Amino acid sequence: IIATKRLTDRQLMILLAIVVGLAAGLATYVFQHTLEFFRFSLTSWFDIDKASVFYFFYPVVGIVIATLFVRYVVRDDISEGVTRVLYAMSKKGSRIKPHNCYSSIIASSATIGFGGSVGPEAPIVLTGSAIGSNIGRFMRMNYKNSTLLLCCGAAAALSAVFKAPITGVVFVLEILMLDITVASIIPLLISTVTATTLMFFLNGFEPVFNLDVKYAFQLRNLPYYALLGLICGLMSYYFTQINGRIAARFARIRGMYRKWIVGGLLIGTLIFLFPPLYGEGYESLVDLMHGNVDALFNNSLFFRYRSISWVVMLFLKVVAMSATNGAGGVGGSFAPSLFVGAFTGATMVYMLNALLGLELPIIPFTLVGMAGVMSGVMKAPLTS
């Protein structure tokens, strides 16, 4: 602190933005590799042509671990990460408890690693925000600068997840509603670029969704994109309504053990029947976008009947997500909304091509579907 007194306020914020970006990027790297370790250790040895009963039991194990960790170690509510960040900004002077720098990673790793059908983005946003908030507290920053560092942490963490620095900046401006000024934009850009660069060096330069989009936009397809937008709006409404109703049902269940039993039976059955619902589901999205639909039935009871309709997974992801969170798991809705959006776009393309004899490309419509449902769920079209 004494050394930094020689710096101007702007120089100090730039320096701290770099520190926050490095810390948030490193936390994201640890989180992602922890999830990969769990998934590889638990499922890599399954036979793809046989259904594994472990899919039925894994999710409840992760939920139990996460619940016990939160209740007896953390002793604080760490669910709904973005909501916690907004609450801290509006009611707590942008102060987030130090345990949030690691507790969301541990609880969410157990939840998602064992198959909980939720996303890692919201927990890592809370983690990055906590890192920025506590660095601001350590440096004895005022509310304005502490809020800016909190937002730098949130932006850096999300940028590191998707290796997309502009996404992190837009997320903060659109969701956390930070004021758009030069004094805020520059630290945000520095923190997100720092976190993304660190992820490039640690995790390689491959994008999250490694796709070869060969199709140029064609004006004649514009009506179909408009139709997809309307369908995505309806799916967003379905997503939020089902999520709210299932969450309310679980809130009425008294007793931790009863929630484990109900949630475990529900999500275990869904994942056992439809393994793509396991975890965040990004691998299934890539298979879907590449037209490798058969891979969606690996480790499934329906492996021998891969020609049947798989559109049902479109509607079940939100149920699995809500059951995971309701039973005590820790995760967010980013990845599930992308999952539902991808299946929405792909389903529309397959149906139109089959019924009308069209030749609509699947990858562009899948990507547009992902953005459409996510924007409807989060009320954030630019971030999506």
Side-chain angles (χ1 to χ4, degrees):
I1 296 177
I2 296 176
T4 58
K5 288 183 178 180
R6 298 182 179 180
L7 302 175
T8 65
D9 288 343
R10 178 170 294 184
Q11 290 171 335
L12 179 59
M13 289 305 300
I14 290 175
L15 176 61
L16 292 179
I18 295 174
V19 174
V20 170
L22 290 172
L26 184 61
T28 303
Y29 174 79
V30 172
F31 187 26
Q32 288 184 338
H33 279 264
T34 302
L35 292 180
E36 290 177 6
F37 171 78
F38 273 118
R39 187 180 185 94
F40 180 81
S41 301
L42 296 174
T43 65
S44 63
W45 47 276
F46 291 169
D47 295 327
I48 65 172
D49 59 341
K50 297 179 181 178
S52 176
V53 71
F54 287 100
Y55 277 128
F56 186 82
F57 296 105
Y58 278 162
V60 71
V61 173
I63 290 172
V64 169
I65 294 173
T67 305
L68 294 178
F69 173 75
V70 171
R71 173 166 292 197
Y72 297 108
V73 178
V74 177
R75 298 180 180 179
D76 190 19
D77 184 9
I78 60 174
S79 62
E80 300 184 11
V82 177
T83 303
R84 308 297 302 176
V85 174
L86 290 170
Y87 181 78
M89 293 174 63
S90 61
K91 299 294 185 181
K92 297 292 184 180
S94 291
R95 304 293 185 182
I96 301 179
K97 294 180 180 180
H99 72 74
N100 286 288
C101 295
Y102 64 88
S103 56
S104 292
I105 292 179
I106 296 175
S108 188
S109 294
T111 301
I112 303 173
F114 278 87
S117 198
V118 288
E121 293 83 8
I124 200 60
V125 165
L126 177 57
T127 299
S129 301
I131 290 172
S133 173
N134 283 278
I135 288 177
R137 179 184 299 179
F138 177 77
M139 298 301 297
R140 300 175 184 174
M141 293 287 185
N142 57 27
Y143 170 76
K144 179 180 179 181
N145 290 334
S146 294
T147 301
L148 180 54
L149 288 178
L150 179 153
C151 291
C152 284
L158 192 63
S159 298
V161 170
F162 293 107
K163 299 180 183 177
I166 300 302
T167 298
V169 175
V170 175
F171 169 82
V172 166
L173 299 178
E174 194 172 29
I175 302 297
L176 303 186
M177 294 175 287
L178 185 69
D179 292 336
I180 304 176
T181 62
V182 174
S184 61
I185 291 294
I186 291 177
L188 283 174
L189 285 171
I190 290 174
S191 64
T192 57
V193 171
T194 301
T196 305
T197 303
L198 179 64
M199 287 297 289
F200 280 149
F201 280 104
L202 294 177
N203 222 21
F205 287 79
E206 291 293 327
V208 176
F209 301 109
N210 190 10
L211 301 170
D212 184 12
V213 183
K214 303 177 182 179
Y215 307 95
F217 173 77
Q218 296 179 347
L219 187 60
R220 67 172 181 268
N221 291 336
L222 185 59
Y224 303 114
Y225 285 112
L227 175 62
L228 178 58
L230 294 174
I231 296 173
C232 286
L234 295 175
M235 288 306 303
S236 301
Y237 178 78
Y238 166 81
F239 190 102
T240 54
Q241 289 294 310
I242 294 298
N243 183 37
R245 292 180 182 181
I246 293 179
R249 291 288 182 89
F250 272 94
R252 290 197 291 267
I253 298 177
R254 297 182 179 180
M256 181 172 58
Y257 299 103
R258 292 182 180 178
K259 290 184 178 181
W260 287 347
I261 293 172
V262 175
L265 287 173
L266 180 56
I267 189 175
T269 301
L270 289 175
I271 293 177
F272 176 71
L273 294 175
F274 303 103
L277 299 177
Y278 187 100
E280 72 275 18
Y282 283 154
E283 291 183 0
S284 299
L285 297 191
V286 175
D287 288 330
L288 177 65
M289 286 184 278
H290 282 119
N292 187 18
V293 179
D294 289 351
L296 300 176
F297 294 89
N298 290 349
N299 311 118
S300 170
L301 287 173
F302 309 111
F303 183 82
R304 296 182 179 179
Y305 310 99
R306 285 171 284 179
S307 60
I308 68 172
S309 175
W310 40 263
V311 69
V312 65
M313 283 182 273
L314 168 72
F315 300 98
L316 295 179
K317 182 65 174 181
V318 63
V319 178
M321 178 198 74
S322 303
T324 301
N325 285 328
V330 177
S333 60
F334 278 68
S337 67
L338 293 176
F339 187 98
V340 172
F343 274 81
T344 300
T347 300
M348 194 193 84
V349 167
Y350 275 110
M351 292 181 66
L352 289 178
N353 288 348
L355 297 177
L356 302 180
L358 303 176
E359 296 182 355
L360 299 177
I362 185 171
I363 291 179
F365 279 86
T366 303
L367 293 173
V368 171
M370 292 166 68
V373 173
M374 184 178 178
S375 63
V377 170
M378 297 179 58
K379 310 296 189 295
L382 297 179
T383 301
S384 303

